[in-house]
Amino acid sequence: MLLLDIKNLTIELKTPDGLIRAVDRVNLSLREGETRGLVGESGSGKSLIAKAIVGVLNKRWQVSADRFNWCGQDLLRLPYDQQRKVIGRDIAMIYQEPSRSLDPTAAILEQLEEAIPAHLLEGPWWKRSYLRRRKAIGLLHKVGVRDHQAVLQSYPYQLSEGVCQKIMIAMAIAKAPKLLIADEPTTALESTTQAQLFRLLASFNQLKGTSVLLISHELESIARYTQSLSVLYCGQLVEAGETASIIKQPYHPYTNALIKSVPEFQPNLQPKTPLYALPGSIPVLQHLPIGCRLGPRCPNARKECVKTPTLERLQNHYYSCHFPLIGKKDL
Amino acid sequence: MNTLLEVRDLCKTYHKQSGWFSQRSVIAVQNINFTLAEGKTLAIVGETGSGKSTLAKLLVGIEKPDSGDILLAGQPVKISHYRQYNHVIRFIFQDAAKSLNPHQKIGQMLDDVLRFSTVLDPQQRKLKIRQTLKQLGLLDEHSEYYPHMFSGGQLQRVALARALILDPKLLILDEALTALDPSLRAQIVNLLLELQQKSGLAYLLITNHLRLVRHIADDLLVLHQGSALDYGNTAHVFANAGHDYSRKLINSAIT
């Protein structure tokens, strides 16, 4: 069953110079128990999409979509209170910088206990605070913090970034969500902790069936832990499908460049040889090219590329390009 | 290949007053030895608090070592000679956007570097700035730009221009590639490799990104709590690391 089903999500920002379309008609769907990666460079709107799903975007952003279904309910058309209720019950999010997202003035125990919803505690009311504490300790153990006594009493600044991130995850899974959104969970971490964290997320996915939406700009780390992948460029969805098939045969030149620019995916590449790179840089939001936004940087752009390509489908593999990397006659 | 930089038994300890008479000391780096030849790349990896950044600071003379020698082309380096050797070793910071002065035009900033460290006259300085910008794929008119007018990848190029304008022999990159987006990172990596091939620049790469290290570094030094665990050829260290910690670090990046 489709858990999340978004069609033509558009996020616009009102400015004195007119509307800026930061996210342009993006489709995204998630099945129950699926892990999906969302890859894109800075400014590609991946965090915006995540925030739009959780409904925490600033009022200045206009969110519209043809369909924004969560378990069959259209979230954008629900009254505000109900929308908050549904999201609060089912969706949890882990933010980019854990040590900054935690409250610096409160001890971890307080923050963690606050995140545990009352309906998950079973027992008479006089036992509630005891149960809550037990649950908090249990959560810490679940995310792999062994020394709970010391951690619960400390403040965020006393803990390392990795531990803070684990606490954020503990807070997120406290309510047993159906969907966990992890927004660049590993940028601030070291490579050993990174691997640990991905394994942790993978284990929740397998044990509890929690769907995970993993957002990152590093394709190589995400490819290992996800089943399906969506690639964004400048707010446009360029390719979506199963991770393995995208890595094996990308159709879009941007995905191709992303894969080729990572030495890890190129086992035959000699050390110290130049990497494949697209020329130019990411356009700023104020000066977006018309049509396909990759246009000015694309190695095989032609006249038709001034029109935005539609999302085409080939089995389970979606791409939006006028000139996909395999010729149409080969299909 | 000539040896450019040699470090022998470098130690640095930070002291912290914890009472009236008692001191607590933190050993930041101890007994570090390595050599770096011209046109080669040495990568230093390790977790936070392993002394990577302290080592970089010792090399550029921001901090003074307690004991041990830093030899540059066979000559011992003294902090008091900083002016002499800041031409040779240049440092690039993690975040290009934050390390540039927002009030200053790029041309002015580059001019300052030349004014303080060389004896060139204004005409020569202008020429040098133009050459450096061209070398890094920037345009002449970019010298009239302010830092906020550049995109992330271009800013990194500007930071590189500031480092390269004095024709250094060694460039220290402190996590300079980590924060970049993949496609920009590939561009900058290509640029660095090209410069190395053309002018025999040596790099000291301080990073967490082991996959990149494998691609661009000749030698690898693994630091853990201030001491060196493994040192040697990158491919050799990757294949058979001596210590459990370095093995763990390498496995986490590869598998």
mmCIF file with all atom_site columns, all heavy atoms in Angstrom, chain A residues 189-193, chain B residues 44-53 175 206-208 210 222-226 245 248-249:
data_model
loop_
_atom_site.group_PDB
_atom_site.id
_atom_site.type_symbol
_atom_site.label_atom_id
_atom_site.label_alt_id
_atom_site.label_comp_id
_atom_site.label_asym_id
_atom_site.label_entity_id
_atom_site.label_seq_id
_atom_site.pdbx_PDB_ins_code
_atom_site.Cartn_x
_atom_site.Cartn_y
_atom_site.Cartn_z
_atom_site.occupancy
_atom_site.B_iso_or_equiv
_atom_site.pdbx_formal_charge
_atom_site.auth_seq_id
_atom_site.auth_comp_id
_atom_site.auth_asym_id
_atom_site.auth_atom_id
_atom_site.pdbx_PDB_model_num
ATOM 1   N N   . LEU A 1 189 ? 29.096 13.917 10.904 1.00 0.00 ? 189 LEU A N   1
ATOM 2   C CA  . LEU A 1 189 ? 29.665 12.783 11.624 1.00 0.00 ? 189 LEU A CA  1
ATOM 3   C C   . LEU A 1 189 ? 30.900 12.210 10.944 1.00 0.00 ? 189 LEU A C   1
ATOM 4   O O   . LEU A 1 189 ? 31.148 12.445 9.775  1.00 0.00 ? 189 LEU A O   1
ATOM 5   C CB  . LEU A 1 189 ? 28.613 11.684 11.749 1.00 0.00 ? 189 LEU A CB  1
ATOM 6   C CG  . LEU A 1 189 ? 27.305 12.100 12.398 1.00 0.00 ? 189 LEU A CG  1
ATOM 7   C CD1 . LEU A 1 189 ? 26.390 10.914 12.484 1.00 0.00 ? 189 LEU A CD1 1
ATOM 8   C CD2 . LEU A 1 189 ? 27.529 12.686 13.759 1.00 0.00 ? 189 LEU A CD2 1
ATOM 9   N N   . GLU A 1 190 ? 31.628 11.424 11.734 1.00 0.00 ? 190 GLU A N   1
ATOM 10  C CA  . GLU A 1 190 ? 32.807 10.774 11.169 1.00 0.00 ? 190 GLU A CA  1
ATOM 11  C C   . GLU A 1 190 ? 32.412 9.461  10.517 1.00 0.00 ? 190 GLU A C   1
ATOM 12  O O   . GLU A 1 190 ? 31.354 8.920  10.783 1.00 0.00 ? 190 GLU A O   1
ATOM 13  C CB  . GLU A 1 190 ? 33.797 10.487 12.293 1.00 0.00 ? 190 GLU A CB  1
ATOM 14  C CG  . GLU A 1 190 ? 34.423 11.749 12.791 1.00 0.00 ? 190 GLU A CG  1
ATOM 15  C CD  . GLU A 1 190 ? 34.638 11.698 14.256 1.00 0.00 ? 190 GLU A CD  1
ATOM 16  O OE1 . GLU A 1 190 ? 34.825 10.587 14.782 1.00 0.00 ? 190 GLU A OE1 1
ATOM 17  O OE2 . GLU A 1 190 ? 34.611 12.745 14.883 1.00 0.00 ? 190 GLU A OE2 1
ATOM 18  N N   . SER A 1 191 ? 33.327 8.945  9.713  1.00 0.00 ? 191 SER A N   1
ATOM 19  C CA  . SER A 1 191 ? 32.915 7.824  8.879  1.00 0.00 ? 191 SER A CA  1
ATOM 20  C C   . SER A 1 191 ? 32.547 6.583  9.692  1.00 0.00 ? 191 SER A C   1
ATOM 21  O O   . SER A 1 191 ? 31.663 5.839  9.303  1.00 0.00 ? 191 SER A O   1
ATOM 22  C CB  . SER A 1 191 ? 33.991 7.500  7.853  1.00 0.00 ? 191 SER A CB  1
ATOM 23  O OG  . SER A 1 191 ? 35.228 7.371  8.472  1.00 0.00 ? 191 SER A OG  1
ATOM 24  N N   . THR A 1 192 ? 33.196 6.366  10.846 1.00 0.00 ? 192 THR A N   1
ATOM 25  C CA  . THR A 1 192 ? 32.827 5.181  11.621 1.00 0.00 ? 192 THR A CA  1
ATOM 26  C C   . THR A 1 192 ? 31.424 5.330  12.195 1.00 0.00 ? 192 THR A C   1
ATOM 27  O O   . THR A 1 192 ? 30.626 4.402  12.174 1.00 0.00 ? 192 THR A O   1
ATOM 28  C CB  . THR A 1 192 ? 33.806 4.929  12.768 1.00 0.00 ? 192 THR A CB  1
ATOM 29  O OG1 . THR A 1 192 ? 34.094 6.160  13.410 1.00 0.00 ? 192 THR A OG1 1
ATOM 30  C CG2 . THR A 1 192 ? 35.079 4.309  12.279 1.00 0.00 ? 192 THR A CG2 1
ATOM 31  N N   . THR A 1 193 ? 31.124 6.534  12.720 1.00 0.00 ? 193 THR A N   1
ATOM 32  C CA  . THR A 1 193 ? 29.793 6.774  13.278 1.00 0.00 ? 193 THR A CA  1
ATOM 33  C C   . THR A 1 193 ? 28.739 6.762  12.187 1.00 0.00 ? 193 THR A C   1
ATOM 34  O O   . THR A 1 193 ? 27.615 6.327  12.411 1.00 0.00 ? 193 THR A O   1
ATOM 35  C CB  . THR A 1 193 ? 29.756 8.116  13.998 1.00 0.00 ? 193 THR A CB  1
ATOM 36  O OG1 . THR A 1 193 ? 31.063 8.596  14.152 1.00 0.00 ? 193 THR A OG1 1
ATOM 37  C CG2 . THR A 1 193 ? 29.109 7.994  15.335 1.00 0.00 ? 193 THR A CG2 1
ATOM 38  N N   . ILE B 2 44  ? 45.876 13.042 5.828  1.00 0.00 ? 44  ILE B N   1
ATOM 39  C CA  . ILE B 2 44  ? 45.850 12.751 7.258  1.00 0.00 ? 44  ILE B CA  1
ATOM 40  C C   . ILE B 2 44  ? 44.403 12.509 7.645  1.00 0.00 ? 44  ILE B C   1
ATOM 41  O O   . ILE B 2 44  ? 43.551 13.371 7.455  1.00 0.00 ? 44  ILE B O   1
ATOM 42  C CB  . ILE B 2 44  ? 46.436 13.922 8.057  1.00 0.00 ? 44  ILE B CB  1
ATOM 43  C CG1 . ILE B 2 44  ? 47.889 14.132 7.662  1.00 0.00 ? 44  ILE B CG1 1
ATOM 44  C CG2 . ILE B 2 44  ? 46.322 13.667 9.543  1.00 0.00 ? 44  ILE B CG2 1
ATOM 45  C CD1 . ILE B 2 44  ? 48.556 15.258 8.369  1.00 0.00 ? 44  ILE B CD1 1
ATOM 46  N N   . VAL B 2 45  ? 44.131 11.318 8.134  1.00 0.00 ? 45  VAL B N   1
ATOM 47  C CA  . VAL B 2 45  ? 42.759 11.010 8.524  1.00 0.00 ? 45  VAL B CA  1
ATOM 48  C C   . VAL B 2 45  ? 42.711 10.666 10.007 1.00 0.00 ? 45  VAL B C   1
ATOM 49  O O   . VAL B 2 45  ? 43.708 10.298 10.601 1.00 0.00 ? 45  VAL B O   1
ATOM 50  C CB  . VAL B 2 45  ? 42.153 9.839  7.709  1.00 0.00 ? 45  VAL B CB  1
ATOM 51  C CG1 . VAL B 2 45  ? 42.075 10.197 6.258  1.00 0.00 ? 45  VAL B CG1 1
ATOM 52  C CG2 . VAL B 2 45  ? 42.961 8.588  7.895  1.00 0.00 ? 45  VAL B CG2 1
ATOM 53  N N   . GLY B 2 46  ? 41.550 10.762 10.569 1.00 0.00 ? 46  GLY B N   1
ATOM 54  C CA  . GLY B 2 46  ? 41.359 10.472 11.977 1.00 0.00 ? 46  GLY B CA  1
ATOM 55  C C   . GLY B 2 46  ? 40.079 11.128 12.439 1.00 0.00 ? 46  GLY B C   1
ATOM 56  O O   . GLY B 2 46  ? 39.537 11.979 11.753 1.00 0.00 ? 46  GLY B O   1
ATOM 57  N N   . GLU B 2 47  ? 39.594 10.703 13.609 1.00 0.00 ? 47  GLU B N   1
ATOM 58  C CA  . GLU B 2 47  ? 38.324 11.272 14.074 1.00 0.00 ? 47  GLU B CA  1
ATOM 59  C C   . GLU B 2 47  ? 38.574 12.643 14.702 1.00 0.00 ? 47  GLU B C   1
ATOM 60  O O   . GLU B 2 47  ? 39.721 13.067 14.822 1.00 0.00 ? 47  GLU B O   1
ATOM 61  C CB  . GLU B 2 47  ? 37.692 10.323 15.093 1.00 0.00 ? 47  GLU B CB  1
ATOM 62  C CG  . GLU B 2 47  ? 38.625 9.992  16.216 1.00 0.00 ? 47  GLU B CG  1
ATOM 63  C CD  . GLU B 2 47  ? 38.079 8.955  17.151 1.00 0.00 ? 47  GLU B CD  1
ATOM 64  O OE1 . GLU B 2 47  ? 37.046 8.364  16.847 1.00 0.00 ? 47  GLU B OE1 1
ATOM 65  O OE2 . GLU B 2 47  ? 38.697 8.762  18.202 1.00 0.00 ? 47  GLU B OE2 1
ATOM 66  N N   . THR B 2 48  ? 37.512 13.309 15.093 1.00 0.00 ? 48  THR B N   1
ATOM 67  C CA  . THR B 2 48  ? 37.683 14.601 15.752 1.00 0.00 ? 48  THR B CA  1
ATOM 68  C C   . THR B 2 48  ? 38.425 14.393 17.060 1.00 0.00 ? 48  THR B C   1
ATOM 69  O O   . THR B 2 48  ? 38.202 13.413 17.756 1.00 0.00 ? 48  THR B O   1
ATOM 70  C CB  . THR B 2 48  ? 36.324 15.258 16.078 1.00 0.00 ? 48  THR B CB  1
ATOM 71  O OG1 . THR B 2 48  ? 35.396 14.232 16.311 1.00 0.00 ? 48  THR B OG1 1
ATOM 72  C CG2 . THR B 2 48  ? 35.876 16.160 14.987 1.00 0.00 ? 48  THR B CG2 1
ATOM 73  N N   . GLY B 2 49  ? 39.323 15.328 17.369 1.00 0.00 ? 49  GLY B N   1
ATOM 74  C CA  . GLY B 2 49  ? 40.105 15.196 18.586 1.00 0.00 ? 49  GLY B CA  1
ATOM 75  C C   . GLY B 2 49  ? 41.306 14.307 18.412 1.00 0.00 ? 49  GLY B C   1
ATOM 76  O O   . GLY B 2 49  ? 41.999 13.991 19.378 1.00 0.00 ? 49  GLY B O   1
ATOM 77  N N   . SER B 2 50  ? 41.593 13.891 17.172 1.00 0.00 ? 50  SER B N   1
ATOM 78  C CA  . SER B 2 50  ? 42.761 13.042 16.991 1.00 0.00 ? 50  SER B CA  1
ATOM 79  C C   . SER B 2 50  ? 44.015 13.874 16.736 1.00 0.00 ? 50  SER B C   1
ATOM 80  O O   . SER B 2 50  ? 45.089 13.333 16.591 1.00 0.00 ? 50  SER B O   1
ATOM 81  C CB  . SER B 2 50  ? 42.528 12.074 15.837 1.00 0.00 ? 50  SER B CB  1
ATOM 82  O OG  . SER B 2 50  ? 42.330 12.785 14.653 1.00 0.00 ? 50  SER B OG  1
ATOM 83  N N   . GLY B 2 51  ? 43.865 15.187 16.658 1.00 0.00 ? 51  GLY B N   1
ATOM 84  C CA  . GLY B 2 51  ? 45.037 16.043 16.492 1.00 0.00 ? 51  GLY B CA  1
ATOM 85  C C   . GLY B 2 51  ? 45.345 16.433 15.071 1.00 0.00 ? 51  GLY B C   1
ATOM 86  O O   . GLY B 2 51  ? 46.400 16.992 14.794 1.00 0.00 ? 51  GLY B O   1
ATOM 87  N N   . LYS B 2 52  ? 44.417 16.176 14.150 1.00 0.00 ? 52  LYS B N   1
ATOM 88  C CA  . LYS B 2 52  ? 44.648 16.544 12.758 1.00 0.00 ? 52  LYS B CA  1
ATOM 89  C C   . LYS B 2 52  ? 44.847 18.039 12.599 1.00 0.00 ? 52  LYS B C   1
ATOM 90  O O   . LYS B 2 52  ? 45.810 18.497 11.989 1.00 0.00 ? 52  LYS B O   1
ATOM 91  C CB  . LYS B 2 52  ? 43.430 16.162 11.907 1.00 0.00 ? 52  LYS B CB  1
ATOM 92  C CG  . LYS B 2 52  ? 43.212 14.712 11.724 1.00 0.00 ? 52  LYS B CG  1
ATOM 93  C CD  . LYS B 2 52  ? 41.951 14.488 10.903 1.00 0.00 ? 52  LYS B CD  1
ATOM 94  C CE  . LYS B 2 52  ? 40.741 15.022 11.616 1.00 0.00 ? 52  LYS B CE  1
ATOM 95  N NZ  . LYS B 2 52  ? 39.489 14.842 10.998 1.00 0.00 ? 52  LYS B NZ  1
ATOM 96  N N   . SER B 2 53  ? 43.898 18.788 13.160 1.00 0.00 ? 53  SER B N   1
ATOM 97  C CA  . SER B 2 53  ? 43.946 20.231 12.961 1.00 0.00 ? 53  SER B CA  1
ATOM 98  C C   . SER B 2 53  ? 45.112 20.850 13.717 1.00 0.00 ? 53  SER B C   1
ATOM 99  O O   . SER B 2 53  ? 45.710 21.810 13.256 1.00 0.00 ? 53  SER B O   1
ATOM 100 C CB  . SER B 2 53  ? 42.635 20.860 13.405 1.00 0.00 ? 53  SER B CB  1
ATOM 101 O OG  . SER B 2 53  ? 41.604 20.378 12.606 1.00 0.00 ? 53  SER B OG  1
ATOM 102 N N   . GLU B 2 175 ? 39.948 20.000 5.543  1.00 0.00 ? 175 GLU B N   1
ATOM 103 C CA  . GLU B 2 175 ? 38.546 19.643 5.265  1.00 0.00 ? 175 GLU B CA  1
ATOM 104 C C   . GLU B 2 175 ? 37.946 20.525 4.185  1.00 0.00 ? 175 GLU B C   1
ATOM 105 O O   . GLU B 2 175 ? 36.756 20.790 4.178  1.00 0.00 ? 175 GLU B O   1
ATOM 106 C CB  . GLU B 2 175 ? 37.688 19.775 6.533  1.00 0.00 ? 175 GLU B CB  1
ATOM 107 C CG  . GLU B 2 175 ? 38.116 18.905 7.678  1.00 0.00 ? 175 GLU B CG  1
ATOM 108 C CD  . GLU B 2 175 ? 37.476 17.536 7.651  1.00 0.00 ? 175 GLU B CD  1
ATOM 109 O OE1 . GLU B 2 175 ? 36.849 17.209 6.631  1.00 0.00 ? 175 GLU B OE1 1
ATOM 110 O OE2 . GLU B 2 175 ? 37.625 16.811 8.634  1.00 0.00 ? 175 GLU B OE2 1
ATOM 111 N N   . ILE B 2 206 ? 43.732 17.140 4.902  1.00 0.00 ? 206 ILE B N   1
ATOM 112 C CA  . ILE B 2 206 ? 43.205 16.722 6.197  1.00 0.00 ? 206 ILE B CA  1
ATOM 113 C C   . ILE B 2 206 ? 41.732 16.474 6.004  1.00 0.00 ? 206 ILE B C   1
ATOM 114 O O   . ILE B 2 206 ? 40.994 17.391 5.655  1.00 0.00 ? 206 ILE B O   1
ATOM 115 C CB  . ILE B 2 206 ? 43.440 17.808 7.242  1.00 0.00 ? 206 ILE B CB  1
ATOM 116 C CG1 . ILE B 2 206 ? 44.934 17.980 7.421  1.00 0.00 ? 206 ILE B CG1 1
ATOM 117 C CG2 . ILE B 2 206 ? 42.774 17.456 8.536  1.00 0.00 ? 206 ILE B CG2 1
ATOM 118 C CD1 . ILE B 2 206 ? 45.294 19.114 8.288  1.00 0.00 ? 206 ILE B CD1 1
ATOM 119 N N   . THR B 2 207 ? 41.312 15.264 6.197  1.00 0.00 ? 207 THR B N   1
ATOM 120 C CA  . THR B 2 207 ? 39.931 14.971 5.810  1.00 0.00 ? 207 THR B CA  1
ATOM 121 C C   . THR B 2 207 ? 39.370 13.767 6.535  1.00 0.00 ? 207 THR B C   1
ATOM 122 O O   . THR B 2 207 ? 40.072 13.039 7.225  1.00 0.00 ? 207 THR B O   1
ATOM 123 C CB  . THR B 2 207 ? 39.852 14.722 4.289  1.00 0.00 ? 207 THR B CB  1
ATOM 124 O OG1 . THR B 2 207 ? 38.513 14.537 3.920  1.00 0.00 ? 207 THR B OG1 1
ATOM 125 C CG2 . THR B 2 207 ? 40.638 13.508 3.882  1.00 0.00 ? 207 THR B CG2 1
ATOM 126 N N   . ASN B 2 208 ? 38.076 13.603 6.365  1.00 0.00 ? 208 ASN B N   1
ATOM 127 C CA  . ASN B 2 208 ? 37.383 12.448 6.893  1.00 0.00 ? 208 ASN B CA  1
ATOM 128 C C   . ASN B 2 208 ? 36.920 11.534 5.780  1.00 0.00 ? 208 ASN B C   1
ATOM 129 O O   . ASN B 2 208 ? 36.372 10.481 6.020  1.00 0.00 ? 208 ASN B O   1
ATOM 130 C CB  . ASN B 2 208 ? 36.143 12.929 7.651  1.00 0.00 ? 208 ASN B CB  1
ATOM 131 C CG  . ASN B 2 208 ? 36.351 12.858 9.122  1.00 0.00 ? 208 ASN B CG  1
ATOM 132 O OD1 . ASN B 2 208 ? 37.002 11.947 9.592  1.00 0.00 ? 208 ASN B OD1 1
ATOM 133 N ND2 . ASN B 2 208 ? 35.818 13.807 9.846  1.00 0.00 ? 208 ASN B ND2 1
ATOM 134 N N   . LEU B 2 210 ? 37.319 9.130  3.312  1.00 0.00 ? 210 LEU B N   1
ATOM 135 C CA  . LEU B 2 210 ? 38.335 8.144  2.939  1.00 0.00 ? 210 LEU B CA  1
ATOM 136 C C   . LEU B 2 210 ? 38.264 7.707  1.486  1.00 0.00 ? 210 LEU B C   1
ATOM 137 O O   . LEU B 2 210 ? 39.266 7.332  0.905  1.00 0.00 ? 210 LEU B O   1
ATOM 138 C CB  . LEU B 2 210 ? 38.199 6.933  3.847  1.00 0.00 ? 210 LEU B CB  1
ATOM 139 C CG  . LEU B 2 210 ? 38.961 7.146  5.149  1.00 0.00 ? 210 LEU B CG  1
ATOM 140 C CD1 . LEU B 2 210 ? 38.311 6.396  6.271  1.00 0.00 ? 210 LEU B CD1 1
ATOM 141 C CD2 . LEU B 2 210 ? 40.391 6.691  4.995  1.00 0.00 ? 210 LEU B CD2 1
ATOM 142 N N   . VAL B 2 222 ? 47.333 7.784  9.497  1.00 0.00 ? 222 VAL B N   1
ATOM 143 C CA  . VAL B 2 222 ? 46.149 7.648  10.329 1.00 0.00 ? 222 VAL B CA  1
ATOM 144 C C   . VAL B 2 222 ? 46.494 8.114  11.733 1.00 0.00 ? 222 VAL B C   1
ATOM 145 O O   . VAL B 2 222 ? 47.423 7.598  12.354 1.00 0.00 ? 222 VAL B O   1
ATOM 146 C CB  . VAL B 2 222 ? 45.661 6.187  10.377 1.00 0.00 ? 222 VAL B CB  1
ATOM 147 C CG1 . VAL B 2 222 ? 44.404 6.090  11.213 1.00 0.00 ? 222 VAL B CG1 1
ATOM 148 C CG2 . VAL B 2 222 ? 45.398 5.675  8.989  1.00 0.00 ? 222 VAL B CG2 1
ATOM 149 N N   . LEU B 2 223 ? 45.774 9.100  12.216 1.00 0.00 ? 223 LEU B N   1
ATOM 150 C CA  . LEU B 2 223 ? 46.010 9.621  13.557 1.00 0.00 ? 223 LEU B CA  1
ATOM 151 C C   . LEU B 2 223 ? 44.930 9.125  14.495 1.00 0.00 ? 223 LEU B C   1
ATOM 152 O O   . LEU B 2 223 ? 43.764 9.031  14.114 1.00 0.00 ? 223 LEU B O   1
ATOM 153 C CB  . LEU B 2 223 ? 45.957 11.150 13.542 1.00 0.00 ? 223 LEU B CB  1
ATOM 154 C CG  . LEU B 2 223 ? 47.176 11.944 13.122 1.00 0.00 ? 223 LEU B CG  1
ATOM 155 C CD1 . LEU B 2 223 ? 46.886 13.416 13.309 1.00 0.00 ? 223 LEU B CD1 1
ATOM 156 C CD2 . LEU B 2 223 ? 48.384 11.561 13.939 1.00 0.00 ? 223 LEU B CD2 1
ATOM 157 N N   . HIS B 2 224 ? 45.328 8.817  15.716 1.00 0.00 ? 224 HIS B N   1
ATOM 158 C CA  . HIS B 2 224 ? 44.337 8.466  16.722 1.00 0.00 ? 224 HIS B CA  1
ATOM 159 C C   . HIS B 2 224 ? 44.829 8.965  18.065 1.00 0.00 ? 224 HIS B C   1
ATOM 160 O O   . HIS B 2 224 ? 45.899 8.581  18.506 1.00 0.00 ? 224 HIS B O   1
ATOM 161 C CB  . HIS B 2 224 ? 44.125 6.952  16.742 1.00 0.00 ? 224 HIS B CB  1
ATOM 162 C CG  . HIS B 2 224 ? 43.080 6.527  17.713 1.00 0.00 ? 224 HIS B CG  1
ATOM 163 N ND1 . HIS B 2 224 ? 41.817 7.069  17.717 1.00 0.00 ? 224 HIS B ND1 1
ATOM 164 C CD2 . HIS B 2 224 ? 43.110 5.639  18.725 1.00 0.00 ? 224 HIS B CD2 1
ATOM 165 C CE1 . HIS B 2 224 ? 41.114 6.505  18.681 1.00 0.00 ? 224 HIS B CE1 1
ATOM 166 N NE2 . HIS B 2 224 ? 41.874 5.641  19.305 1.00 0.00 ? 224 HIS B NE2 1
ATOM 167 N N   . GLN B 2 225 ? 44.076 9.842  18.674 1.00 0.00 ? 225 GLN B N   1
ATOM 168 C CA  . GLN B 2 225 ? 44.421 10.447 19.961 1.00 0.00 ? 225 GLN B CA  1
ATOM 169 C C   . GLN B 2 225 ? 45.848 10.974 19.976 1.00 0.00 ? 225 GLN B C   1
ATOM 170 O O   . GLN B 2 225 ? 46.618 10.741 20.904 1.00 0.00 ? 225 GLN B O   1
ATOM 171 C CB  . GLN B 2 225 ? 44.226 9.431  21.077 1.00 0.00 ? 225 GLN B CB  1
ATOM 172 C CG  . GLN B 2 225 ? 42.759 9.081  21.212 1.00 0.00 ? 225 GLN B CG  1
ATOM 173 C CD  . GLN B 2 225 ? 42.483 8.131  22.347 1.00 0.00 ? 225 GLN B CD  1
ATOM 174 O OE1 . GLN B 2 225 ? 43.428 7.516  22.858 1.00 0.00 ? 225 GLN B OE1 1
ATOM 175 N NE2 . GLN B 2 225 ? 41.247 8.027  22.731 1.00 0.00 ? 225 GLN B NE2 1
ATOM 176 N N   . GLY B 2 226 ? 46.204 11.648 18.924 1.00 0.00 ? 226 GLY B N   1
ATOM 177 C CA  . GLY B 2 226 ? 47.476 12.356 18.910 1.00 0.00 ? 226 GLY B CA  1
ATOM 178 C C   . GLY B 2 226 ? 48.664 11.572 18.410 1.00 0.00 ? 226 GLY B C   1
ATOM 179 O O   . GLY B 2 226 ? 49.705 12.139 18.150 1.00 0.00 ? 226 GLY B O   1
ATOM 180 N N   . TYR B 2 245 ? 42.182 0.114  14.952 1.00 0.00 ? 245 TYR B N   1
ATOM 181 C CA  . TYR B 2 245 ? 41.424 1.334  14.740 1.00 0.00 ? 245 TYR B CA  1
ATOM 182 C C   . TYR B 2 245 ? 41.425 1.754  13.274 1.00 0.00 ? 245 TYR B C   1
ATOM 183 O O   . TYR B 2 245 ? 40.390 2.079  12.712 1.00 0.00 ? 245 TYR B O   1
ATOM 184 C CB  . TYR B 2 245 ? 41.972 2.468  15.609 1.00 0.00 ? 245 TYR B CB  1
ATOM 185 C CG  . TYR B 2 245 ? 41.318 3.775  15.316 1.00 0.00 ? 245 TYR B CG  1
ATOM 186 C CD1 . TYR B 2 245 ? 40.031 4.037  15.774 1.00 0.00 ? 245 TYR B CD1 1
ATOM 187 C CD2 . TYR B 2 245 ? 41.941 4.734  14.525 1.00 0.00 ? 245 TYR B CD2 1
ATOM 188 C CE1 . TYR B 2 245 ? 39.395 5.214  15.474 1.00 0.00 ? 245 TYR B CE1 1
ATOM 189 C CE2 . TYR B 2 245 ? 41.316 5.910  14.212 1.00 0.00 ? 245 TYR B CE2 1
ATOM 190 C CZ  . TYR B 2 245 ? 40.047 6.146  14.701 1.00 0.00 ? 245 TYR B CZ  1
ATOM 191 O OH  . TYR B 2 245 ? 39.417 7.308  14.383 1.00 0.00 ? 245 TYR B OH  1
ATOM 192 N N   . LYS B 2 248 ? 39.246 -0.419 11.253 1.00 0.00 ? 248 LYS B N   1
ATOM 193 C CA  . LYS B 2 248 ? 37.836 -0.094 11.454 1.00 0.00 ? 248 LYS B CA  1
ATOM 194 C C   . LYS B 2 248 ? 37.447 1.127  10.624 1.00 0.00 ? 248 LYS B C   1
ATOM 195 O O   . LYS B 2 248 ? 36.406 1.164  9.967  1.00 0.00 ? 248 LYS B O   1
ATOM 196 C CB  . LYS B 2 248 ? 37.615 0.190  12.943 1.00 0.00 ? 248 LYS B CB  1
ATOM 197 C CG  . LYS B 2 248 ? 36.178 0.147  13.388 1.00 0.00 ? 248 LYS B CG  1
ATOM 198 C CD  . LYS B 2 248 ? 36.104 0.281  14.892 1.00 0.00 ? 248 LYS B CD  1
ATOM 199 C CE  . LYS B 2 248 ? 35.125 1.354  15.294 1.00 0.00 ? 248 LYS B CE  1
ATOM 200 N NZ  . LYS B 2 248 ? 35.341 1.862  16.635 1.00 0.00 ? 248 LYS B NZ  1
ATOM 201 N N   . LEU B 2 249 ? 38.317 2.110  10.658 1.00 0.00 ? 249 LEU B N   1
ATOM 202 C CA  . LEU B 2 249 ? 38.058 3.349  9.921  1.00 0.00 ? 249 LEU B CA  1
ATOM 203 C C   . LEU B 2 249 ? 37.956 3.070  8.426  1.00 0.00 ? 249 LEU B C   1
ATOM 204 O O   . LEU B 2 249 ? 37.054 3.554  7.740  1.00 0.00 ? 249 LEU B O   1
ATOM 205 C CB  . LEU B 2 249 ? 39.207 4.322  10.188 1.00 0.00 ? 249 LEU B CB  1
ATOM 206 C CG  . LEU B 2 249 ? 38.985 5.788  9.882  1.00 0.00 ? 249 LEU B CG  1
ATOM 207 C CD1 . LEU B 2 249 ? 38.027 6.367  10.889 1.00 0.00 ? 249 LEU B CD1 1
ATOM 208 C CD2 . LEU B 2 249 ? 40.294 6.537  9.930  1.00 0.00 ? 249 LEU B CD2 1
#
